[in-house]
Amino acid sequence: MRRRGVTVILGALLTALLAVGVMAAPLPYVVLKPGPTVNTLGSSNGTEVIQVTDAKTSTSAGQLRLTTVNVQSQVELVWAISGWFSHKDAVVPRELIYPPNTTEKQVEEQNAQEWTESQDSAVTVALTKLGYPVQTVVKTVTAGGAATGLLQAQDVITAVDDTKITDPGKLTDVVRGKPAGTTFTIAYTRSGKAGTAEVTTKASGDDKTPRLGIEIEKKQPYPFKVTIDLDKIGGPSAGLMFTLGIMDKLEPEDLTGGKIIAGTGTIDDGGNVGPIGGIPQKLVGAKSAGAQLFLVPKDNCAEALKNAVDGLPMAEVATVDDALTALKTFTSGGTPKPCSAS
């Protein structure tokens, strides 16, 4: 009996140790949790999130809050079980956040780069809406190229034939849309004076790409400085809320109408709002922060509807104009365009 009793005790201890080992072993999953929200019109750690110098700014009665997701990268079985039963958290395969052959540091660096790019696009879109358009400027003229003697450095290209040029990419698309040897009427301004030039494209490279023979760059002149100061957040998903925040600061009108508005979505230079990840967790975080409306990228609406939070209406937005319309409607007492599953 003694031997049998010792065997039972040792077996129980061994089983317990194995169970502890299994519970503590890392799993190939991560847990997504609601992260903090930040009022883009307010301050973080004593510093204004959006800073504008050399221009008059306005103060809003409400808030425009960006939303975030916290990622728990080291997940043990006990945390995975807790996440699976949580209505706030999500347990997802690790490779969705950290692709194979990619380190956590590399992902963090990419997120930091996307964070910076989203801020740049937010500034571009906001200032364009406020009357400071992007300019497509001739940086250099290629010697012997199609535009030699016709265009000059610092010329601002405004149109090609009947197509308005809103950014360098538009110019490239128009020129490459027709074969080499096509003659275009290039409208430009030079030292503030308007002019036109007839430029016939020349083929270049093995693929015979049509070219004007100029190097172009994007400029957006405005008489003040806009800086976004917010650390420890990465990725591109705050682009929309930064755009709205900049506009609200520089416009006399209070876009918030005294309401707490939260949202998410990427922004490109054309003002298009793109989808993001972690929408269920961002909805929970927004509700906890007192949000009265959530701006949802159109392509996230189906997922958002499946994870709707009681008491938090959602507005579907595909562009910054959609977001502005939603704000105006909501703050006037109306109902913005709701999310749809299609």
Side-chain angles (χ1 to χ4, degrees):
M1 292 296 295
R2 289 180 180 176
R3 290 181 180 176
R4 186 175 298 174
V6 170
T7 300
V8 170
I9 292 172
L10 289 175
L13 287 173
L14 181 59
T15 301
L17 290 173
L18 288 173
V20 170
V22 170
M23 295 294 283
L27 300 175
Y29 295 92
V30 298
V31 178
L32 306 182
K33 299 174 175 289
T37 70
V38 179
N39 178 21
T40 61
L41 302 176
S43 300
S44 178
N45 297 322
T47 303
E48 281 188 292
V49 175
I50 298 174
Q51 303 166 15
V52 181
T53 55
D54 299 323
K56 184 178 180 180
T57 58
S58 62
T59 301
S60 295
Q63 302 176 16
L64 291 169
R65 304 192 75 90
L66 63 84
T67 51
T68 67
V69 175
N70 281 339
V71 179
Q72 181 181 339
S73 60
Q74 299 299 319
V75 179
E76 299 168 1
L77 183 57
V78 63
W79 289 109
I81 293 173
S82 175
W84 280 321
F85 285 97
S86 171
H87 71 283
K88 296 181 179 180
D89 304 341
V91 181
V92 301
R94 182 180 178 85
E95 63 184 19
L96 292 181
I97 307 299
Y98 303 105
N101 303 317
T102 304
T103 66
E104 289 188 23
K105 183 178 180 180
Q106 289 173 324
V107 171
E108 290 172 359
E109 290 173 349
Q110 180 180 348
N111 286 340
Q113 181 180 348
E114 291 177 340
W115 175 250
T116 300
E117 291 173 350
S118 74
Q119 294 177 21
D120 292 341
S121 290
V123 173
T124 295
V125 174
L127 296 183
T128 299
K129 298 297 294 181
L130 293 172
Y132 301 96
V134 172
Q135 296 180 349
T136 300
V137 181
V138 177
K139 186 176 182 180
T140 60
V141 178
T142 304
T148 298
L150 300 172
L151 297 176
Q152 297 179 11
Q154 301 309 310
D155 285 350
V156 178
I157 297 178
T158 57
V160 175
D161 291 341
D162 296 324
T163 302
K164 183 178 179 181
I165 300 303
T166 54
D167 58 71
K170 186 67 174 180
L171 175 62
T172 299
D173 290 342
V174 171
V175 171
R176 293 186 179 179
K178 293 185 178 181
T182 300
T183 299
F184 292 101
T185 300
I186 310 294
Y188 62 86
T189 58
R190 180 180 299 164
S191 300
K193 296 181 180 180
T196 60
E198 301 294 322
V199 181
T200 302
T201 57
K202 293 183 178 181
S204 175
D206 294 337
D207 57 356
K208 305 300 182 182
T209 301
R211 298 187 185 278
L212 293 173
I214 57 175
E215 182 182 356
I216 55 177
E217 61 182 340
K218 181 181 79 172
K219 290 186 177 181
Q220 191 174 25
Y222 49 93
F224 46 83
K225 182 179 180 181
V226 178
T227 304
I228 297 175
D229 190 342
L230 188 60
D231 295 328
K232 298 181 180 180
I233 297 178
S237 66
L240 171 62
M241 300 311 292
F242 278 141
T243 302
L244 297 174
I246 294 167
M247 293 184 67
D248 193 275
K249 283 231 169 186
L250 287 167
E251 281 190 327
E253 180 185 2
D254 182 352
L255 296 180
T256 71
K259 307 291 187 180
I260 301 177
I261 314 295
T264 187
T266 65
I267 197 80
D268 64 18
D269 286 356
N272 300 300
V273 178
I276 49 76
I279 195 74
Q281 290 69 47
K282 291 181 177 181
L283 288 169
V284 171
K287 179 62 177 178
S288 298
Q292 297 163 278
L293 177 70
F294 195 97
L295 304 178
V296 182
K298 181 178 181 180
D299 290 342
N300 283 122
C301 271
E303 182 183 12
L305 287 172
K306 294 178 182 177
N307 295 275
V309 175
D310 289 340
L312 182 61
M314 298 180 291
E316 175 184 297
V317 296
T319 66
V320 68
D321 286 337
D322 290 345
L324 292 170
T325 298
L327 292 181
K328 186 173 183 179
T329 301
F330 184 70
T331 56
S332 299
T335 300
K337 181 181 179 181
C339 263
S340 63
S342 58

